[in-house]
Amino acid sequence: QVQMVESGGGLVQAGGSLRLSCAASGNIFSINDMGWCRQAPGKQRELVAVISSGGTTDYGNFVKGRFTISRDNAKNTVYLHMISLKPEDTAVYYCYADTITSRMWGQGTHVTVSS
């Protein structure tokens, strides 16, 4: 059984910052990509950021320049440091981790940005 535990979401004012974390635990031998997606009410799920096991990153167009993804391979943890948050960043943020056989998902953490 593999578990992805997210934390760090909450309520912030526009212009504020949050740092999300997501730790994978269980019988995991190797994780390739780790990343974040988000889904706002009434909207499609979209990619936020992804980071490879080697540290290569990619970001969604709407968050590039404001969000930074990082990972700690020893802890099987991926982070999302978000700055200059906007009300349109309000969403449920889901982390994921890819092994050679499957994609594991967190349960989501709510981020609400007030104007």
Side-chain angles (χ1 to χ4, degrees):
Q1 183 86 337
V2 176
Q3 188 175 20
M4 304 281 290
V5 180
E6 302 183 33
S7 63
L11 299 170
V12 296
Q13 295 184 10
S17 302
L18 282 175
R19 187 177 180 87
L20 308 183
S21 65
C22 178
S25 62
N27 189 21
I28 304 171
F29 292 97
S30 182
I31 297 176
N32 299 122
D33 291 350
M34 301 186 79
W36 297 88
C37 295
R38 70 184 185 185
Q39 188 165 25
K43 297 183 179 179
Q44 294 291 113
R45 186 177 70 252
E46 63 180 352
L47 173 71
V48 176
V50 60
I51 183 168
S52 74
S53 61
T56 301
T57 60
D58 194 22
Y59 296 91
N61 291 333
F62 292 99
V63 301
K64 184 179 292 184
R66 298 186 297 117
F67 294 5
T68 302
I69 188 170
S70 62
R71 63 189 288 171
D72 185 334
N73 290 332
K75 297 180 179 179
N76 287 329
T77 300
V78 62
Y79 304 92
L80 186 69
H81 190 193
M82 306 182 291
I83 65 171
S84 301
L85 284 162
K86 305 174 181 180
E88 51 262 46
D89 295 319
T90 296
V92 180
Y93 286 70
Y94 299 91
C95 64
Y96 69 85
D98 290 339
T99 68
I100 58 172
T101 58
S102 65
R103 172 166 289 181
M104 304 171 291
W105 289 93
Q107 294 300 304
T109 185
H110 291 259
V111 172
T112 302
V113 184
S114 62
S115 59

mmCIF file of all heavy atoms in Angstrom, residues 7-60:
data_model
loop_
_atom_site.group_PDB
_atom_site.id
_atom_site.type_symbol
_atom_site.label_atom_id
_atom_site.label_comp_id
_atom_site.label_asym_id
_atom_site.label_seq_id
_atom_site.Cartn_x
_atom_site.Cartn_y
_atom_site.Cartn_z
ATOM 1 N N SER A 7 0.120 18.309 2.569
ATOM 2 C CA SER A 7 -0.078 19.290 3.616
ATOM 3 C C SER A 7 0.344 20.660 3.106
ATOM 4 O O SER A 7 1.010 20.773 2.083
ATOM 5 C CB SER A 7 0.707 18.930 4.881
ATOM 6 O OG SER A 7 2.099 18.927 4.630
ATOM 7 N N GLY A 8 -0.044 21.689 3.839
ATOM 8 C CA GLY A 8 0.398 23.035 3.524
ATOM 9 C C GLY A 8 -0.646 23.948 2.933
ATOM 10 O O GLY A 8 -0.406 25.149 2.792
ATOM 11 N N GLY A 9 -1.796 23.419 2.564
ATOM 12 C CA GLY A 9 -2.838 24.260 2.020
ATOM 13 C C GLY A 9 -3.475 25.119 3.090
ATOM 14 O O GLY A 9 -3.243 24.941 4.283
ATOM 15 N N GLY A 10 -4.282 26.058 2.644
ATOM 16 C CA GLY A 10 -4.960 26.928 3.584
ATOM 17 C C GLY A 10 -5.466 28.182 2.926
ATOM 18 O O GLY A 10 -5.580 28.265 1.700
ATOM 19 N N LEU A 11 -5.776 29.153 3.762
ATOM 20 C CA LEU A 11 -6.297 30.445 3.327
ATOM 21 C C LEU A 11 -5.190 31.485 3.358
ATOM 22 O O LEU A 11 -4.493 31.628 4.364
ATOM 23 C CB LEU A 11 -7.438 30.885 4.231
ATOM 24 C CG LEU A 11 -8.675 30.005 4.303
ATOM 25 C CD1 LEU A 11 -9.573 30.481 5.433
ATOM 26 C CD2 LEU A 11 -9.418 30.028 2.976
ATOM 27 N N VAL A 12 -5.029 32.199 2.266
ATOM 28 C CA VAL A 12 -4.056 33.280 2.199
ATOM 29 C C VAL A 12 -4.652 34.457 1.453
ATOM 30 O O VAL A 12 -5.575 34.301 0.654
ATOM 31 C CB VAL A 12 -2.743 32.858 1.515
ATOM 32 C CG1 VAL A 12 -2.033 31.774 2.318
ATOM 33 C CG2 VAL A 12 -3.004 32.389 0.091
ATOM 34 N N GLN A 13 -4.108 35.621 1.714
ATOM 35 C CA GLN A 13 -4.502 36.804 0.969
ATOM 36 C C GLN A 13 -3.739 36.877 -0.348
ATOM 37 O O GLN A 13 -2.648 36.323 -0.486
ATOM 38 C CB GLN A 13 -4.245 38.067 1.787
ATOM 39 C CG GLN A 13 -5.088 38.186 3.038
ATOM 40 C CD GLN A 13 -4.861 39.492 3.773
ATOM 41 O OE1 GLN A 13 -4.206 40.403 3.266
ATOM 42 N NE2 GLN A 13 -5.406 39.598 4.972
ATOM 43 N N ALA A 14 -4.336 37.548 -1.314
ATOM 44 C CA ALA A 14 -3.650 37.760 -2.581
ATOM 45 C C ALA A 14 -2.285 38.380 -2.338
ATOM 46 O O ALA A 14 -2.136 39.295 -1.527
ATOM 47 C CB ALA A 14 -4.483 38.643 -3.495
ATOM 48 N N GLY A 15 -1.291 37.872 -3.045
ATOM 49 C CA GLY A 15 0.069 38.323 -2.867
ATOM 50 C C GLY A 15 0.856 37.532 -1.852
ATOM 51 O O GLY A 15 2.082 37.702 -1.750
ATOM 52 N N GLY A 16 0.182 36.671 -1.128
ATOM 53 C CA GLY A 16 0.842 35.872 -0.121
ATOM 54 C C GLY A 16 1.507 34.637 -0.690
ATOM 55 O O GLY A 16 1.538 34.412 -1.903
ATOM 56 N N SER A 17 2.023 33.821 0.216
ATOM 57 C CA SER A 17 2.780 32.634 -0.169
ATOM 58 C C SER A 17 2.313 31.421 0.603
ATOM 59 O O SER A 17 1.826 31.526 1.731
ATOM 60 C CB SER A 17 4.279 32.843 0.086
ATOM 61 O OG SER A 17 4.782 33.954 -0.621
ATOM 62 N N LEU A 18 2.476 30.275 -0.004
ATOM 63 C CA LEU A 18 2.238 28.994 0.642
ATOM 64 C C LEU A 18 3.265 28.001 0.152
ATOM 65 O O LEU A 18 3.752 28.108 -0.978
ATOM 66 C CB LEU A 18 0.840 28.445 0.337
ATOM 67 C CG LEU A 18 -0.360 29.022 1.079
ATOM 68 C CD1 LEU A 18 -1.637 28.410 0.509
ATOM 69 C CD2 LEU A 18 -0.266 28.759 2.565
ATOM 70 N N ARG A 19 3.572 27.027 0.989
ATOM 71 C CA ARG A 19 4.446 25.935 0.603
ATOM 72 C C ARG A 19 3.721 24.623 0.847
ATOM 73 O O ARG A 19 3.429 24.271 1.991
ATOM 74 C CB ARG A 19 5.757 25.965 1.380
ATOM 75 C CG ARG A 19 6.785 24.934 0.901
ATOM 76 C CD ARG A 19 8.091 25.085 1.666
ATOM 77 N NE ARG A 19 9.106 24.127 1.247
ATOM 78 C CZ ARG A 19 9.960 24.311 0.240
ATOM 79 N NH1 ARG A 19 9.917 25.439 -0.459
ATOM 80 N NH2 ARG A 19 10.851 23.380 -0.055
ATOM 81 N N LEU A 20 3.425 23.929 -0.228
ATOM 82 C CA LEU A 20 2.777 22.639 -0.142
ATOM 83 C C LEU A 20 3.821 21.536 -0.107
ATOM 84 O O LEU A 20 4.882 21.649 -0.716
ATOM 85 C CB LEU A 20 1.850 22.406 -1.337
ATOM 86 C CG LEU A 20 0.824 23.490 -1.661
ATOM 87 C CD1 LEU A 20 -0.041 23.048 -2.837
ATOM 88 C CD2 LEU A 20 -0.034 23.805 -0.444
ATOM 89 N N SER A 21 3.506 20.472 0.589
ATOM 90 C CA SER A 21 4.375 19.316 0.591
ATOM 91 C C SER A 21 3.546 18.064 0.389
ATOM 92 O O SER A 21 2.356 18.019 0.696
ATOM 93 C CB SER A 21 5.177 19.220 1.899
ATOM 94 O OG SER A 21 4.318 19.005 3.004
ATOM 95 N N CYS A 22 4.187 17.046 -0.130
ATOM 96 C CA CYS A 22 3.525 15.780 -0.382
ATOM 97 C C CYS A 22 4.550 14.676 -0.212
ATOM 98 O O CYS A 22 5.538 14.623 -0.950
ATOM 99 C CB CYS A 22 2.928 15.755 -1.785
ATOM 100 S SG CYS A 22 2.129 14.199 -2.225
ATOM 101 N N ALA A 23 4.306 13.809 0.747
ATOM 102 C CA ALA A 23 5.233 12.734 1.065
ATOM 103 C C ALA A 23 4.640 11.391 0.672
ATOM 104 O O ALA A 23 3.515 11.063 1.057
ATOM 105 C CB ALA A 23 5.573 12.740 2.554
ATOM 106 N N ALA A 24 5.396 10.634 -0.081
ATOM 107 C CA ALA A 24 5.003 9.287 -0.459
ATOM 108 C C ALA A 24 5.585 8.291 0.528
ATOM 109 O O ALA A 24 6.757 8.383 0.906
ATOM 110 C CB ALA A 24 5.480 8.961 -1.872
ATOM 111 N N SER A 25 4.777 7.353 0.941
ATOM 112 C CA SER A 25 5.241 6.333 1.865
ATOM 113 C C SER A 25 4.703 4.978 1.447
ATOM 114 O O SER A 25 3.721 4.882 0.705
ATOM 115 C CB SER A 25 4.813 6.651 3.300
ATOM 116 O OG SER A 25 3.402 6.667 3.418
ATOM 117 N N GLY A 26 5.328 3.945 1.945
ATOM 118 C CA GLY A 26 4.938 2.596 1.609
ATOM 119 C C GLY A 26 6.060 1.860 0.913
ATOM 120 O O GLY A 26 7.228 2.230 1.006
ATOM 121 N N ASN A 27 5.684 0.822 0.211
ATOM 122 C CA ASN A 27 6.657 -0.019 -0.473
ATOM 123 C C ASN A 27 7.032 0.603 -1.812
ATOM 124 O O ASN A 27 6.525 0.208 -2.863
ATOM 125 C CB ASN A 27 6.101 -1.429 -0.669
ATOM 126 C CG ASN A 27 7.149 -2.396 -1.168
ATOM 127 O OD1 ASN A 27 8.342 -2.170 -1.020
ATOM 128 N ND2 ASN A 27 6.695 -3.484 -1.776
ATOM 129 N N ILE A 28 7.914 1.585 -1.742
ATOM 130 C CA ILE A 28 8.349 2.318 -2.924
ATOM 131 C C ILE A 28 9.842 2.098 -3.118
ATOM 132 O O ILE A 28 10.643 2.445 -2.253
ATOM 133 C CB ILE A 28 8.057 3.814 -2.806
ATOM 134 C CG1 ILE A 28 6.569 4.045 -2.541
ATOM 135 C CG2 ILE A 28 8.504 4.541 -4.064
ATOM 136 C CD1 ILE A 28 6.236 5.471 -2.197
ATOM 137 N N PHE A 29 10.199 1.560 -4.256
ATOM 138 C CA PHE A 29 11.604 1.354 -4.555
ATOM 139 C C PHE A 29 12.203 2.507 -5.349
ATOM 140 O O PHE A 29 13.364 2.867 -5.148
ATOM 141 C CB PHE A 29 11.805 0.035 -5.308
ATOM 142 C CG PHE A 29 11.522 -1.184 -4.481
ATOM 143 C CD1 PHE A 29 10.296 -1.822 -4.547
ATOM 144 C CD2 PHE A 29 12.484 -1.684 -3.631
ATOM 145 C CE1 PHE A 29 10.029 -2.933 -3.784
ATOM 146 C CE2 PHE A 29 12.241 -2.801 -2.852
ATOM 147 C CZ PHE A 29 11.001 -3.430 -2.934
ATOM 148 N N SER A 30 11.415 3.080 -6.234
ATOM 149 C CA SER A 30 11.924 4.164 -7.055
ATOM 150 C C SER A 30 10.766 5.015 -7.564
ATOM 151 O O SER A 30 9.754 4.483 -8.013
ATOM 152 C CB SER A 30 12.731 3.623 -8.237
ATOM 153 O OG SER A 30 13.267 4.662 -9.018
ATOM 154 N N ILE A 31 10.939 6.325 -7.484
ATOM 155 C CA ILE A 31 9.971 7.274 -8.014
ATOM 156 C C ILE A 31 10.626 8.065 -9.132
ATOM 157 O O ILE A 31 11.735 8.572 -8.976
ATOM 158 C CB ILE A 31 9.454 8.222 -6.922
ATOM 159 C CG1 ILE A 31 8.700 7.443 -5.846
ATOM 160 C CG2 ILE A 31 8.562 9.298 -7.528
ATOM 161 C CD1 ILE A 31 8.235 8.290 -4.681
ATOM 162 N N ASN A 32 9.938 8.146 -10.231
ATOM 163 C CA ASN A 32 10.426 8.936 -11.350
ATOM 164 C C ASN A 32 9.918 10.371 -11.219
ATOM 165 O O ASN A 32 10.355 11.094 -10.331
ATOM 166 C CB ASN A 32 10.018 8.282 -12.667
ATOM 167 C CG ASN A 32 10.604 6.887 -12.807
ATOM 168 O OD1 ASN A 32 9.872 5.907 -12.970
ATOM 169 N ND2 ASN A 32 11.914 6.790 -12.737
ATOM 170 N N ASP A 33 9.004 10.790 -12.073
ATOM 171 C CA ASP A 33 8.474 12.141 -11.962
ATOM 172 C C ASP A 33 7.605 12.297 -10.714
ATOM 173 O O ASP A 33 6.916 11.374 -10.290
ATOM 174 C CB ASP A 33 7.631 12.502 -13.179
ATOM 175 C CG ASP A 33 8.446 12.664 -14.444
ATOM 176 O OD1 ASP A 33 9.693 12.686 -14.371
ATOM 177 O OD2 ASP A 33 7.828 12.780 -15.515
ATOM 178 N N MET A 34 7.633 13.491 -10.146
ATOM 179 C CA MET A 34 6.683 13.906 -9.137
ATOM 180 C C MET A 34 6.125 15.251 -9.571
ATOM 181 O O MET A 34 6.827 16.032 -10.218
ATOM 182 C CB MET A 34 7.327 14.023 -7.756
ATOM 183 C CG MET A 34 7.956 12.737 -7.252
ATOM 184 S SD MET A 34 8.572 12.844 -5.546
ATOM 185 C CE MET A 34 7.025 12.661 -4.632
ATOM 186 N N GLY A 35 4.887 15.512 -9.220
ATOM 187 C CA GLY A 35 4.319 16.757 -9.677
ATOM 188 C C GLY A 35 3.057 17.154 -8.949
ATOM 189 O O GLY A 35 2.636 16.514 -7.979
ATOM 190 N N TRP A 36 2.488 18.239 -9.443
ATOM 191 C CA TRP A 36 1.274 18.807 -8.882
ATOM 192 C C TRP A 36 0.310 19.168 -9.991
ATOM 193 O O TRP A 36 0.707 19.715 -11.030
ATOM 194 C CB TRP A 36 1.574 20.077 -8.072
ATOM 195 C CG TRP A 36 2.433 19.860 -6.877
ATOM 196 C CD1 TRP A 36 3.790 19.872 -6.822
ATOM 197 C CD2 TRP A 36 1.986 19.609 -5.540
ATOM 198 N NE1 TRP A 36 4.219 19.645 -5.535
ATOM 199 C CE2 TRP A 36 3.138 19.477 -4.730
ATOM 200 C CE3 TRP A 36 0.727 19.477 -4.955
ATOM 201 C CZ2 TRP A 36 3.062 19.228 -3.359
ATOM 202 C CZ3 TRP A 36 0.648 19.228 -3.594
ATOM 203 C CH2 TRP A 36 1.809 19.107 -2.811
ATOM 204 N N CYS A 37 -0.949 18.870 -9.763
ATOM 205 C CA CYS A 37 -2.036 19.352 -10.588
ATOM 206 C C CYS A 37 -3.004 20.098 -9.691
ATOM 207 O O CYS A 37 -2.947 19.987 -8.464
ATOM 208 C CB CYS A 37 -2.753 18.206 -11.302
ATOM 209 S SG CYS A 37 -1.740 17.315 -12.499
ATOM 210 N N ARG A 38 -3.894 20.859 -10.303
ATOM 211 C CA ARG A 38 -4.902 21.546 -9.513
ATOM 212 C C ARG A 38 -6.222 21.550 -10.265
ATOM 213 O O ARG A 38 -6.271 21.462 -11.486
ATOM 214 C CB ARG A 38 -4.483 22.980 -9.179
ATOM 215 C CG ARG A 38 -4.466 23.939 -10.362
ATOM 216 C CD ARG A 38 -3.945 25.301 -9.949
ATOM 217 N NE ARG A 38 -4.032 26.272 -11.033
ATOM 218 C CZ ARG A 38 -3.558 27.508 -10.972
ATOM 219 N NH1 ARG A 38 -2.955 27.938 -9.868
ATOM 220 N NH2 ARG A 38 -3.688 28.322 -12.014
ATOM 221 N N GLN A 39 -7.289 21.670 -9.498
ATOM 222 C CA GLN A 39 -8.611 21.744 -10.083
ATOM 223 C C GLN A 39 -9.447 22.735 -9.292
ATOM 224 O O GLN A 39 -9.678 22.548 -8.098
ATOM 225 C CB GLN A 39 -9.289 20.379 -10.117
ATOM 226 C CG GLN A 39 -10.589 20.373 -10.891
ATOM 227 C CD GLN A 39 -11.058 18.971 -11.236
ATOM 228 O OE1 GLN A 39 -10.720 18.012 -10.555
ATOM 229 N NE2 GLN A 39 -11.828 18.853 -12.303
ATOM 230 N N ALA A 40 -9.877 23.772 -9.969
ATOM 231 C CA ALA A 40 -10.752 24.763 -9.373
ATOM 232 C C ALA A 40 -12.196 24.365 -9.611
ATOM 233 O O ALA A 40 -12.502 23.639 -10.564
ATOM 234 C CB ALA A 40 -10.472 26.141 -9.965
ATOM 235 N N PRO A 41 -13.100 24.828 -8.766
ATOM 236 C CA PRO A 41 -14.514 24.491 -8.954
ATOM 237 C C PRO A 41 -15.011 24.869 -10.343
ATOM 238 O O PRO A 41 -14.822 26.000 -10.796
ATOM 239 C CB PRO A 41 -15.219 25.313 -7.873
ATOM 240 C CG PRO A 41 -14.184 25.499 -6.813
ATOM 241 C CD PRO A 41 -12.888 25.648 -7.564
ATOM 242 N N GLY A 42 -15.620 23.920 -11.023
ATOM 243 C CA GLY A 42 -16.167 24.168 -12.341
ATOM 244 C C GLY A 42 -15.150 24.234 -13.459
ATOM 245 O O GLY A 42 -15.516 24.564 -14.591
ATOM 246 N N LYS A 43 -13.896 23.933 -13.176
ATOM 247 C CA LYS A 43 -12.858 24.003 -14.188
ATOM 248 C C LYS A 43 -12.188 22.647 -14.376
ATOM 249 O O LYS A 43 -12.297 21.753 -13.538
ATOM 250 C CB LYS A 43 -11.805 25.052 -13.813
ATOM 251 C CG LYS A 43 -12.334 26.473 -13.737
ATOM 252 C CD LYS A 43 -11.214 27.450 -13.431
ATOM 253 C CE LYS A 43 -11.722 28.877 -13.370
ATOM 254 N NZ LYS A 43 -10.632 29.836 -13.057
ATOM 255 N N GLN A 44 -11.478 22.518 -15.483
ATOM 256 C CA GLN A 44 -10.738 21.300 -15.767
ATOM 257 C C GLN A 44 -9.473 21.231 -14.922
ATOM 258 O O GLN A 44 -8.909 22.249 -14.531
ATOM 259 C CB GLN A 44 -10.368 21.230 -17.247
ATOM 260 C CG GLN A 44 -11.542 21.085 -18.195
ATOM 261 C CD GLN A 44 -12.202 19.740 -18.072
ATOM 262 O OE1 GLN A 44 -13.335 19.644 -17.626
ATOM 263 N NE2 GLN A 44 -11.496 18.691 -18.455
ATOM 264 N N ARG A 45 -9.037 20.009 -14.659
ATOM 265 C CA ARG A 45 -7.775 19.816 -13.978
ATOM 266 C C ARG A 45 -6.635 20.289 -14.875
ATOM 267 O O ARG A 45 -6.651 20.066 -16.088
ATOM 268 C CB ARG A 45 -7.585 18.341 -13.624
ATOM 269 C CG ARG A 45 -6.357 18.066 -12.774
ATOM 270 C CD ARG A 45 -6.261 16.599 -12.382
ATOM 271 N NE ARG A 45 -5.952 15.749 -13.516
ATOM 272 C CZ ARG A 45 -6.808 14.914 -14.094
ATOM 273 N NH1 ARG A 45 -8.049 14.807 -13.613
ATOM 274 N NH2 ARG A 45 -6.433 14.168 -15.121
ATOM 275 N N GLU A 46 -5.653 20.944 -14.298
ATOM 276 C CA GLU A 46 -4.536 21.438 -15.071
ATOM 277 C C GLU A 46 -3.218 21.144 -14.374
ATOM 278 O O GLU A 46 -3.149 21.051 -13.145
ATOM 279 C CB GLU A 46 -4.663 22.940 -15.335
ATOM 280 C CG GLU A 46 -4.631 23.814 -14.094
ATOM 281 C CD GLU A 46 -4.767 25.289 -14.416
ATOM 282 O OE1 GLU A 46 -4.735 25.670 -15.599
ATOM 283 O OE2 GLU A 46 -4.915 26.086 -13.459
ATOM 284 N N LEU A 47 -2.193 21.001 -15.178
ATOM 285 C CA LEU A 47 -0.857 20.780 -14.649
ATOM 286 C C LEU A 47 -0.347 22.048 -13.993
ATOM 287 O O LEU A 47 -0.451 23.141 -14.549
ATOM 288 C CB LEU A 47 0.094 20.361 -15.770
ATOM 289 C CG LEU A 47 1.573 20.266 -15.387
ATOM 290 C CD1 LEU A 47 1.819 19.065 -14.490
ATOM 291 C CD2 LEU A 47 2.449 20.185 -16.640
ATOM 292 N N VAL A 48 0.217 21.895 -12.817
ATOM 293 C CA VAL A 48 0.870 22.999 -12.136
ATOM 294 C C VAL A 48 2.378 22.928 -12.346
ATOM 295 O O VAL A 48 3.006 23.887 -12.797
ATOM 296 C CB VAL A 48 0.532 23.007 -10.637
ATOM 297 C CG1 VAL A 48 1.305 24.117 -9.917
ATOM 298 C CG2 VAL A 48 -0.964 23.180 -10.427
ATOM 299 N N ALA A 49 2.959 21.796 -12.012
ATOM 300 C CA ALA A 49 4.405 21.640 -12.126
ATOM 301 C C ALA A 49 4.762 20.173 -12.055
ATOM 302 O O ALA A 49 4.036 19.369 -11.474
ATOM 303 C CB ALA A 49 5.133 22.410 -11.018
ATOM 304 N N VAL A 50 5.894 19.835 -12.645
ATOM 305 C CA VAL A 50 6.406 18.477 -12.587
ATOM 306 C C VAL A 50 7.917 18.537 -12.466
ATOM 307 O O VAL A 50 8.559 19.449 -13.004
ATOM 308 C CB VAL A 50 5.977 17.651 -13.825
ATOM 309 C CG1 VAL A 50 6.498 18.303 -15.110
ATOM 310 C CG2 VAL A 50 6.441 16.212 -13.727
ATOM 311 N N ILE A 51 8.479 17.586 -11.753
ATOM 312 C CA ILE A 51 9.924 17.513 -11.590
ATOM 313 C C ILE A 51 10.354 16.062 -11.746
ATOM 314 O O ILE A 51 9.755 15.149 -11.182
ATOM 315 C CB ILE A 51 10.373 18.101 -10.230
ATOM 316 C CG1 ILE A 51 11.893 18.075 -10.101
ATOM 317 C CG2 ILE A 51 9.699 17.389 -9.065
ATOM 318 C CD1 ILE A 51 12.404 18.899 -8.921
ATOM 319 N N SER A 52 11.391 15.844 -12.524
ATOM 320 C CA SER A 52 11.903 14.502 -12.738
ATOM 321 C C SER A 52 12.799 14.086 -11.585
ATOM 322 O O SER A 52 13.181 14.889 -10.733
ATOM 323 C CB SER A 52 12.679 14.436 -14.058
ATOM 324 O OG SER A 52 13.933 15.083 -13.934
ATOM 325 N N SER A 53 13.145 12.816 -11.575
ATOM 326 C CA SER A 53 14.048 12.324 -10.541
ATOM 327 C C SER A 53 15.405 13.003 -10.611
ATOM 328 O O SER A 53 16.101 13.094 -9.596
ATOM 329 C CB SER A 53 14.217 10.807 -10.659
ATOM 330 O OG SER A 53 14.768 10.445 -11.914
ATOM 331 N N GLY A 54 15.781 13.483 -11.793
ATOM 332 C CA GLY A 54 17.038 14.183 -11.968
ATOM 333 C C GLY A 54 16.972 15.678 -11.742
ATOM 334 O O GLY A 54 17.993 16.363 -11.831
ATOM 335 N N GLY A 55 15.773 16.209 -11.464
ATOM 336 C CA GLY A 55 15.631 17.613 -11.149
ATOM 337 C C GLY A 55 15.152 18.503 -12.277
ATOM 338 O O GLY A 55 15.041 19.721 -12.094
ATOM 339 N N THR A 56 14.865 17.935 -13.442
ATOM 340 C CA THR A 56 14.323 18.729 -14.532
ATOM 341 C C THR A 56 12.887 19.122 -14.224
ATOM 342 O O THR A 56 12.089 18.283 -13.817
ATOM 343 C CB THR A 56 14.383 17.947 -15.847
ATOM 344 O OG1 THR A 56 15.739 17.595 -16.135
ATOM 345 C CG2 THR A 56 13.838 18.783 -16.997
ATOM 346 N N THR A 57 12.552 20.384 -14.431
ATOM 347 C CA THR A 57 11.231 20.892 -14.073
ATOM 348 C C THR A 57 10.479 21.418 -15.276
ATOM 349 O O THR A 57 11.061 21.820 -16.284
ATOM 350 C CB THR A 57 11.338 22.004 -13.024
ATOM 351 O OG1 THR A 57 12.122 23.082 -13.551
ATOM 352 C CG2 THR A 57 11.994 21.489 -11.750
ATOM 353 N N ASP A 58 9.172 21.425 -15.137
ATOM 354 C CA ASP A 58 8.292 22.029 -16.122
ATOM 355 C C ASP A 58 7.095 22.584 -15.368
ATOM 356 O O ASP A 58 6.697 22.044 -14.332
ATOM 357 C CB ASP A 58 7.849 21.015 -17.170
ATOM 358 C CG ASP A 58 7.210 21.665 -18.385
ATOM 359 O OD1 ASP A 58 7.463 22.853 -18.637
ATOM 360 O OD2 ASP A 58 6.449 20.971 -19.100
ATOM 361 N N TYR A 59 6.521 23.670 -15.894
ATOM 362 C CA TYR A 59 5.440 24.358 -15.212
ATOM 363 C C TYR A 59 4.295 24.655 -16.154
ATOM 364 O O TYR A 59 4.494 24.851 -17.349
ATOM 365 C CB TYR A 59 5.935 25.678 -14.609
ATOM 366 C CG TYR A 59 6.975 25.514 -13.533
ATOM 367 C CD1 TYR A 59 8.327 25.500 -13.841
ATOM 368 C CD2 TYR A 59 6.606 25.369 -12.202
ATOM 369 C CE1 TYR A 59 9.282 25.346 -12.855
ATOM 370 C CE2 TYR A 59 7.552 25.213 -11.209
ATOM 371 C CZ TYR A 59 8.890 25.207 -11.546
ATOM 372 O OH TYR A 59 9.835 25.054 -10.551
ATOM 373 N N GLY A 60 3.115 24.708 -15.584
ATOM 374 C CA GLY A 60 1.981 25.171 -16.340
ATOM 375 C C GLY A 60 2.134 26.637 -16.682
ATOM 376 O O GLY A 60 2.754 27.413 -15.949
#
